[in-house]
Amino acid sequence: MSAASYDKLIFELSSPGRVAYSLPESDVPTSDARSLLPEAYLRAEAPRLPEVSEFDVVRHYSRLSQLNYGVDTHFYPLGSCTMKYNPKINEDMARVAGFARLHPLAPEALSQGALRLMHELAAMLAEIAGMDAVSLQPAAGAQGELAGVLMIRAYHAARGEKRTKVLVPDSAHGTNPASTALAGYEVVEVKSQPNGEVDLDELARHLDTDVAAFMITVPNTLGMFEPRIVEITELCHAKGVQVYMDGANLNAILGITRPGDLGFDVCHFNLHKTFTTPHGGGGPGAGPVGVKAHLEPFLPVPVVTKDGDRYALDWKRPQSIGKLQAFWGNFGMHVRAYTYIRTMGADGLRSVADNAILNANYIMKRLEKAYDVAVPGPCMHECVVSARRQKKLGVTATDIAKRLLDLGFYAPSTYFPLIVEEALMIEPTETEAKETLDAFCDAMIQIARETETSPQVVQDAPVTTPVRRLDQTRAAREPDLRWSPAAK
Amino acid sequence: MASRYIANTPAEQDQMLRVIGAASVEELLVKIPPKARLSRPLALPPALAETDLIRHLKTLADANADADRYACFLGAGSYDHYVPSPINHLVLRGEFFTAYTPYQPEASQGTLRTIYEYQTMIAELTGMDVANASIYDGASSVAEAVLMAHAATERTEVVVSHGVNPLYRRVTATYCEGPRMRLRDAGAPGGTTDLAAATRLCGPKTAALVVQSPNFYGCLEDIASAAEIAHAAGAVLIVVADPVNLGVLEAPGKLGADLVVGEGQGLGVPMSFGGPNLGVFAAKRELVRRMPGRLVGATVDRDGRRGFVLTLQTREQHIRRAKATSNICTNVALCALMATIYLATLGRHGLVKVGELSAAKAHYAARRLTALSGVSLRFQAPFFKEFTLKLPKPPDRVVARLAKERILAGVPLKAFDRALADCLLVAVTEKRTKEEIDAFAQALERAVV
Ligand SMILES: Cc1ncc(COP(=O)(O)O)c(C=O)c1O
């Protein structure tokens, strides 16, 4: 049976009596735990979990893994997600017992190494972004956004200002408006210019005393640097408006320019993008948030502090927005990002940005004839092309994405940003070599040619993957969200 | 110097620049205003070679009291449970850990299938109809549940038991700041929720009642009565549960919970100083279209073959934007995979055994420790694997003293609740041995006399 045709769920392997675990016999006098607890609290029926052997488990999940494309096995140009190589040493370090087996409430005096790592990582991120202070607590970019916007809200409130709106460009990632709304603000969408840049007149029209913040991604979601960004932050500040930078695209500017120097008051980092912590099939990530000094009192508690050579968790911060996670953040990701930054150093990080930019421009150049480039280059770390020409021939961005799967590549992000028709957002990252980029561009050009000569091949794709196109409508109309024996 | 994470050589970079038509990368940076450029290298510590970096990080790691070198009796939301060996090997397969959210389902069936298995297992354990693909951690899963109840009922208050982990309550308060929901505290002076107070507080404005069982103090709550109170007020009952206990303890769904959330770290996820963790989120079928986070559903492909996709996405931020049910995007999928492999490994009987062993050892420990003079159980309510001890000496000092004997004795409760300044929260998992518990008792005896 080929790897691709594997079609089992663990429940379907179950055979009563098999075991995969190894637990000791009880060494304490009371072995019948059930006698210790009142009947009413006890489970009437053992949970219906599978009964399999250890080898069943290992083979099943190994085979399931083979149904996936990952960065280790495939070029994964998913724009905005920075799918770069995830160094193996990061994984080794995160698994050292002193980190992986450390309880979050171990006494402070006995967690000094972990606290020091967090303190140093926060300082390095602050330097990279030109910010005054960084909290590592947010669990992902979206939670960093929530923290940042809540700090802005607390800042205005502390000054006795009641501002109710946050401006977000129409090119923004969905989490920007979602986080802003969650923080209690009315979200006002600001129309971008056709080239994706902020329209300063349009922005100026919206800026009034009711606006708390302007939230913007730099480089923007078209992969372009905002040429007038300093004017933008100045314009906002003149109206008492705080400026938030979505740092999802920080990879492009490492060592080149810094959010703090551009005038931003807050920015978040996605450690799972720029700083090589793995994406894990959807997470975990980490979304530290950096602020300028005037927002420091509002940082989430606790803050990791250093006094002499002692590190501590400071909870006495009366103006704090509170907590976002039960403990101190996704520490396992902090270890990985720390390992990465210490591997690269300042020059290394700068070459990351340079090569990410070089790779993206190379792709843009090679594709500019076959596809409509959304905005003329040069671009930063990613480029957006539109399949509007192909669409006229009946081939959509989705079709192109699917055909790429057949040709051995994961797909770019599609239909994002929303302001580009039939968008394909391509982010190669610095870790890919020229020959991979060439192979990918050859495939893209081949698809453009197929669109003209044999569109059916593109529309029918994929045919080499474990399954072909899936019926999304059926999935949503009759949600089948859990396995049951009857369903078989 | 060349970096091992960047493949292109200077010669290749030149070839690429020639294709682009630029003389240097610098020429590609034309849109960045010169005055905004950083005019110096970043001030970062020097790069380290792999061997030096490992040495440096091991020095940092050695300064921590990890559960390999210390007998760990710490809990309060993070537990030292058994982690079967295959989990680490399997999650390190690059096809799993270097993939992202399965936007292209045809090339992501591995991830999608494991999430579908995960949803099934969590729904089964909690007694709910559906579970999502994960929320960041236990605390934010409680917060998201409260927001969901707010949206479902259009009510503005939430009654939270004082027995709910105070760290979770703190996070919930942060999330409730935006929608300006009012949090009302139902006391738990006797170790379990004061149900009369909860009844008084639940009314026509109450979106949800939140209880945790076993609660922060380790005590088991009367979930069925809490359900009656919530439902009588037309509110949603949110139960915070630790799924690793649910091999032995009744599924909250069977007792009337509408939403079951909690921390799933015990299901094979390393403690890792508190994160990443695993936020569990499960609901009744009626609530599915209001759920936060990713959901995976089964469907068929063009050839009629079974396949799996992300579904009901119109709830989510990338489509609904400001009107999404939550802002969550990246979640903790790999931790959910650890939990899936854990539950497959422990299976029907293993999970029961984990619960039974933990409970038996916890009760043995409680008996040994409370036999010491001046040491007693602070609360009389039944407990499971964790309990609150009242000590005759300041718990901070006791903890510091026992740490010298490589015992992490428990979590002093003073920082959480002034009224419990003389209390220590002790957790006992199936990993603790009788020998360790006896050593704990002997050391505690020396520390409190
Ligand atoms: C531009 C942008 N902003 C915000 C986010 C949200 O970050 P996260 O998924 O870490 O919550 C993402 C990525 O998913 C993104 O690409």
Side-chain angles (χ1 to χ4, degrees):
Chain A
M1 193 168 58
S2 78
S5 62
Y6 187 66
D7 179 37
K8 290 286 188 211
L9 292 167
I10 191 75
F11 313 104
E12 295 159 359
L13 301 177
S14 187
S15 176
R18 286 194 190 170
V19 293
Y21 62 86
S22 163
L23 286 164
E25 290 308 315
S26 179
D27 57 357
V28 297
T30 332
S31 53
D32 182 11
R34 299 188 149 248
S35 67
L36 299 167
L37 299 167
E39 183 74 30
Y41 295 105
L42 298 175
R43 194 165 183 119
E45 197 195 343
R48 286 166 300 172
L49 292 170
E51 294 177 68
V52 291
S53 72
E54 178 172 318
F55 191 25
D56 288 335
V57 168
V58 170
R59 182 162 285 162
H60 174 67
Y61 290 101
S62 297
R63 300 196 92 171
L64 285 190
S65 79
Q66 292 176 311
L67 306 182
N68 267 5
Y69 290 18
V71 176
D72 277 1
T73 55
H74 292 76
F75 181 48
Y76 210 116
L78 192 69
S80 208
C81 301
T82 315
M83 303 300 292
K84 58 168 86 172
Y85 169 65
N86 305 132
K88 301 302 175 191
I89 186 184
N90 295 359
E91 298 305 310
D92 288 350
M93 293 303 99
R95 285 168 175 79
V96 171
F99 298 137
R101 307 255 306 112
L102 177 60
H103 191 283
L105 297 171
E108 228 161 69
L110 298 174
S111 318
Q112 287 292 303
L115 293 171
R116 177 176 158 197
L117 184 144
M118 290 177 69
H119 193 267
E120 290 182 0
L121 176 60
M124 295 191 295
L125 292 174
E127 165 63 12
I128 288 167
M131 288 290 170
D132 295 316
V134 168
S135 166
L136 300 180
Q137 195 174 131
Q143 209 182 37
E145 294 168 15
L146 175 64
V149 178
L150 285 174
M151 284 189 272
I152 289 172
R153 193 174 129 141
Y155 166 78
H156 287 304
R159 291 157 52 94
E161 291 204 35
K162 224 178 153 221
R163 295 171 179 249
T164 59
K165 296 188 287 197
V166 169
L167 309 180
V168 181
D170 54 4
S171 57
H173 189 266
T175 52
N176 292 185
S179 302
T180 308
L182 179 55
Y185 281 110
E186 181 193 335
V187 182
V188 180
E189 198 168 88
V190 182
K191 218 168 133 43
S192 308
Q193 299 184 61
N195 69 0
E197 286 172 17
V198 174
D199 181 333
L200 260 77
D201 296 334
E202 173 79 3
L203 176 64
R205 249 198 310 284
H206 280 102
L207 285 174
D208 58 35
T209 52
D210 222 16
V211 175
F214 181 43
M215 190 173 202
I216 173 175
T217 309
V218 179
N220 66 26
T221 56
L222 282 99
M224 297 291 160
F225 196 86
E226 283 287 338
R228 297 173 75 184
I229 191 62
V230 178
E231 277 167 82
I232 292 170
T233 56
E234 283 169 1
L235 187 63
C236 290
H237 285 154
K239 301 279 183 181
V241 173
Q242 295 283 290
V243 219
Y244 183 110
M245 188 180 115
D246 178 334
N249 295 340
L250 193 69
N251 208 47
I253 58 172
L254 292 169
I256 295 175
T257 180
R258 308 189 304 168
D261 300 342
L262 298 172
F264 284 97
D265 302 289
V266 195
C267 81
H268 78 256
F269 308 78
N270 301 70
L271 299 189
H272 45 299
K273 300 182 180 190
T274 317
F275 298 100
T276 66
T277 80
H279 284 79
V289 61
V291 295
K292 287 280 178 61
H294 64 281
L295 293 171
E296 216 176 317
F298 309 103
L299 285 173
V301 278
V303 171
V304 183
T305 58
K306 182 182 184 196
D307 182 7
D309 54 8
R310 275 196 57 86
Y311 297 87
L313 292 171
D314 178 14
W315 291 85
K316 290 202 188 69
R317 303 183 63 92
Q319 290 186 287
S320 167
I321 57 162
K323 277 192 78 47
L324 295 148
Q325 279 214 69
F327 298 110
W328 332 130
N330 285 349
F331 178 75
M333 301 297 132
H334 304 161
V335 176
R336 291 170 173 89
Y338 181 97
T339 304
Y340 177 65
I341 296 173
R342 293 304 316 265
T343 298
M344 302 306 286
D347 293 346
L349 290 182
R350 174 60 204 262
S351 68
V352 164
D354 285 349
N355 283 280
I357 292 167
L358 181 64
N359 282 358
N361 277 284
Y362 183 70
I363 288 181
M364 188 183 227
K365 189 71 191 177
R366 283 214 52 201
L367 297 184
E368 74 181 7
K369 291 210 180 69
Y371 294 86
D372 290 348
V373 168
V375 185
C379 61
M380 295 294 284
H381 65 300
E382 63 193 357
C383 70
V384 179
V385 301
S386 166
R388 64 173 89 88
R389 221 191 302 162
Q390 286 71 23
K391 181 141 184 229
K392 291 206 186 84
L393 300 171
V395 166
T396 62
T398 297
D399 296 328
I400 294 166
K402 302 303 181 196
R403 182 66 180 135
L404 278 169
L405 304 179
D406 272 343
L407 298 176
F409 303 95
Y410 198 77
S413 292
T414 51
Y415 301 100
F416 175 55
L418 304 179
I419 59 171
V420 175
E421 191 191 339
E422 297 295 319
L424 287 153
M425 185 197 246
I426 305 162
E427 183 180 12
T429 84
E430 74 285 358
T431 60
E432 293 295 343
K434 178 175 176 293
E435 64 268 23
T436 306
L437 308 184
D438 278 327
F440 172 76
C441 291
D442 292 345
M444 285 291 286
I445 292 164
Q446 175 188 331
I447 295 168
R449 211 177 318 114
E450 287 170 347
T451 299
E452 289 168 7
T453 57
S454 48
Q456 195 74 35
V457 177
V458 188
Q459 290 155 344
D460 284 351
V463 293
T464 60
T465 46
V467 289
R468 297 188 59 204
R469 282 196 214 188
L470 293 147
D471 188 343
Q472 297 276 1
T473 314
R474 170 173 159 157
R477 200 167 289 156
E478 311 154 31
D480 169 358
L481 307 173
R482 63 183 288 191
W483 184 84
S484 62
K488 262 306 270 189
Chain B
M1 201 191 77
S3 160
R4 69 188 188 280
Y5 303 150
I6 296 173
N8 289 327
T9 62
E12 286 161 337
Q13 291 165 354
D14 284 342
Q15 284 171 23
M16 293 166 75
L17 283 167
R18 267 200 299 281
V19 172
I20 296 166
S24 64
V25 170
E26 192 56 40
E27 265 184 33
L28 302 173
L29 306 179
V30 284
K31 289 194 181 169
I32 307 179
K35 69 169 176 180
R37 291 285 299 272
L38 184 66
S39 56
R40 57 166 175 85
L42 289 168
L44 295 173
L48 291 177
E50 185 162 309
T51 44
D52 294 332
L53 185 50
I54 291 171
R55 195 176 306 114
H56 169 63
L57 279 157
K58 291 225 160 127
T59 311
L60 295 188
D62 282 345
N64 303 320
D66 62 73
D68 276 358
R69 292 186 298 144
Y70 286 67
C72 181
F73 292 91
L74 303 171
S78 183
Y79 299 90
D80 182 27
H81 281 292
Y82 155 58
V83 180
S85 184
I87 295 177
N88 189 42
H89 293 272
L90 291 166
V91 300
L92 271 174
R93 288 190 66 101
E95 299 91 331
F96 279 137
F97 92 91
T98 69
Y100 198 21
T101 308
Y103 296 119
Q104 298 294 338
E106 301 87 351
S108 313
Q109 285 296 303
T111 296
L112 287 160
R113 278 166 184 263
T114 64
I115 295 174
Y116 184 79
E117 291 181 355
Y118 168 80
Q119 290 174 184
T120 303
M121 290 168 172
I122 295 297
E124 170 66 17
L125 284 177
T126 55
M128 291 279 108
D129 298 315
V130 290
N132 76 7
S134 72
I135 295 288
Y136 306 132
D137 76 337
S140 56
S141 71
V142 176
E144 291 274 12
V146 166
L147 295 181
M148 181 171 157
H150 168 56
T153 60
E154 295 179 2
R155 295 175 176 196
T156 56
E157 291 187 0
V158 55
V159 178
V160 185
S161 161
H162 208 73
V164 173
N165 187 322
L167 296 165
Y168 297 7
R169 283 188 270 137
R170 191 91 196 254
V171 172
T172 303
T174 308
Y175 271 76
C176 285
E177 186 64 30
R180 296 192 186 281
M181 286 189 72
R182 180 166 175 214
L183 265 66
R184 310 198 64 182
D185 185 291
T192 56
T193 312
D194 177 346
L195 294 175
T199 309
R200 258 194 323 279
L201 290 169
C202 284
K205 286 190 188 158
T206 311
L209 170 63
V210 190
V211 297
Q212 176 178 332
S213 185
N215 66 21
F216 182 65
Y217 310 115
C219 301
L220 291 159
E221 292 277 5
D222 178 354
I223 297 173
S225 298
E228 274 176 37
I229 294 166
H231 295 156
V236 168
L237 179 69
I238 299 170
V239 173
V240 187
D242 180 345
V244 84
N245 299 339
L246 296 177
V248 170
L249 295 178
E250 184 56 291
K254 294 258 160 65
L255 299 166
D258 301 294
L259 289 173
V260 181
V261 295
E263 180 50 65
Q265 174 272 332
L267 304 175
V269 180
M271 293 187 286
S272 194
F273 203 42
N277 279 346
L278 170 59
V280 164
F281 198 109
K284 289 251 177 76
R285 189 171 291 108
E286 308 81 89
L287 292 167
V288 66
R289 283 173 202 273
R290 291 191 187 277
M291 275 175 92
R294 313 272 184 212
L295 287 167
V296 170
T299 185
V300 292
D301 78 356
R302 279 190 181 175
D303 298 337
R305 248 179 316 180
R306 174 168 70 171
F308 299 83
V309 291
L310 291 174
T311 193
L312 303 178
Q313 294 189 71
T314 50
R315 302 163 296 112
E316 293 189 61
Q317 46 75 28
H318 59 286
I319 296 183
R320 197 53 70 79
R321 301 176 75 84
K323 296 201 168 58
T325 54
S326 163
N327 66 335
I328 194 166
C329 176
T330 295
N331 46 55
V332 294
L334 203 71
C335 299
L337 175 59
M338 294 177 193
T340 308
I341 301 169
Y342 176 88
L343 289 170
T345 301
L346 272 290
R348 189 178 184 123
H349 303 292
L351 194 70
V352 175
K353 204 160 171 195
V354 164
E356 287 177 350
L357 281 170
S358 301
K361 292 182 184 213
H363 284 79
Y364 172 73
R367 224 171 331 113
R368 283 291 322 249
L369 299 170
T370 55
L372 305 175
S373 87
V375 178
S376 59
L377 280 176
R378 177 68 173 73
F379 303 113
Q380 297 318 306
F383 63 90
F384 188 63
K385 69 180 179 198
E386 201 164 10
F387 52 87
T388 303
L389 280 185
K390 188 166 150 19
L391 300 182
K393 289 270 169 70
D396 281 349
R397 260 186 268 156
V398 169
V399 165
R401 172 108 189 246
L402 267 66
K404 294 207 175 81
E405 305 189 35
R406 304 228 159 195
I407 296 166
L408 297 170
V411 177
L413 291 183
K414 187 167 98 185
F416 297 97
D417 193 339
R418 291 233 154 262
L420 300 175
D422 56 356
C423 292
L424 185 71
L425 184 64
V426 178
V428 189
T429 68
E430 77 287 358
K431 280 181 75 175
R432 298 286 71 83
T433 62
K434 178 171 179 293
E435 203 177 322
E436 287 171 330
I437 296 168
D438 291 342
F440 181 7
Q442 282 151 20
L444 184 63
E445 182 165 28
R446 286 189 293 274
V448 297
V449 286

